[in-house]
Amino acid sequence: MSARKIAVKFATVMFGSLVSIFFGGLAQLAGQQNSAPPKAVTYSRDVAPILYKNCVICHRPNNIAPMSLMTYKETRPWARLIREAVVQRKMPPWHADPKVGEFLNDPRLSDVDVATIDAWARTGAREGDPKDLQSPPVFSEDWHIKPDSVLTIPEFTVSGASQDEYEYIYVPTNFTEDKWVQAAEVLPGDKRVVHHATVSVVTADRGGVPGSMAGYVNIVPGIYLPGHLAETRPAGYALRIPAGSYLQFQVHYSNHTSEDVKDRTSIGLVFAKEPVQHEIAQYEIWNDLFLIPPNDDNHRVTSCFTLPKDVIVLAYTGHMHFRGKSMRTEAIYPDGRREVIMDVPHYDFRWQETYFLKKQFVMPKGTKLVTTAYFDNSVSNPQNPDPTKAIRWGEPSDEEMMGFWLQFADPKPVDEKAAVANK
Ligand code: HEC
């Protein structure tokens, strides 16, 4: 390596630590002397806080990630792969293009944190002084909300070493009146095997037949992704679960232990205690009329939807299966202005992310939402179950779906009578 290159790298690291000192507050700065030589990056002082904050929610014992990164001893052997994963931004998992939109649940590391890990792994991945180590985070294995109602799936056995198994499990709510949900949390029964879970409402008045799309309704009360805890709505915003509905749990199991593991995943619901002003709902915009030819590595499918009313936009979700490659949605406003609102350049079915907007905004009636998705039905897609098959729409994961979901709140207040807060 040339001296110049080293100098540039060194400058980056220095800049990195300066920025973190700056943000770390004046207290830290007070003890720092301008002439002090740069200290080597160590696990104890520099890297552990980053891992504690961003990684160990999944990378700890008995959780979904394949290895724990809680201690130096556990982390050291992974240094090279950790560096690669953070520099290439494969970890923490996040699939939206950072240039498009600002999202509440964006877990990406700052450039400074990436530079710190990079420097650490390249300079021997040293432990440093264990006295520098801050105390590790403590996680609650229990609810982060106080649920008024808990609905749980019947016990499900995930056989040893089974990869990527998707189960659809239906649970009756037995609600005899409509319920307004202000917060929801999905609690995995056994975190070693629940990769993620989403819960949707299946209403009785739409056929309500568990197991069929006929009664599927476009409301998602909760999602579990490791690291994504309770979903709490601002006061006055709630979503309605009609009396008699079923809940559909879609659970992605992945068992990297060698034993059978039993799971009972639950959803906890907090009902609105104050009158509901804005009902939360979701448009699920699908194209179900496509045919993806065998061995096609870049098949385009599009959809278009015109908003029938003004909506307050809350979140976006792109939904495809194993062959899904990318998805991009553009809004064409009634005044002709165009804006890309969601861009997922490297879609991964195993991470069902919903992108919650930092700033809600009103999208006017008449806005066109144009979604363009690409599918990879070739051998170069490692997740492809069968590149020799022509693929159409289908619910099982080895068939395909193409959907863009817009979660919104109705700007118009809910009918007073309907919105009597439930007890
Ligand atoms: C939301 C959960 C989650 C978070 C947060 C997370 N990981 Fe992971 N990580 C996983 C899972 C699960 C895997 C296994 C591979 C997969 O499913 O993509 C994994 C795999 C890895 C791997 C192995 C990659 C390989 O190529 O084999 C590394 C290294 C890694 N993570 C490092 C990190 C680091 C460093 C962070 C924090 C900056 C982090 N992860 C944050 C869940 C997570």
Side-chain angles (χ1 to χ4, degrees), residues 50-51 54-59 64-67 69 78 81-86 90-93 107 109 117 195 225-227 348 350-351:
I50 303 173
L51 304 184
N54 302 284
C55 317
V56 303
I57 184 101
C58 299
H59 288 275
I64 191 61
M67 72 287 194
L69 300 176
W78 291 93
L81 275 176
I82 289 172
R83 183 191 156 268
E84 202 177 289
V86 300
K90 287 193 292 194
M91 286 283 150
L109 295 186
I117 290 179
H195 188 277
L225 266 179
D348 187 337
R350 294 170 312 146
W351 298 101

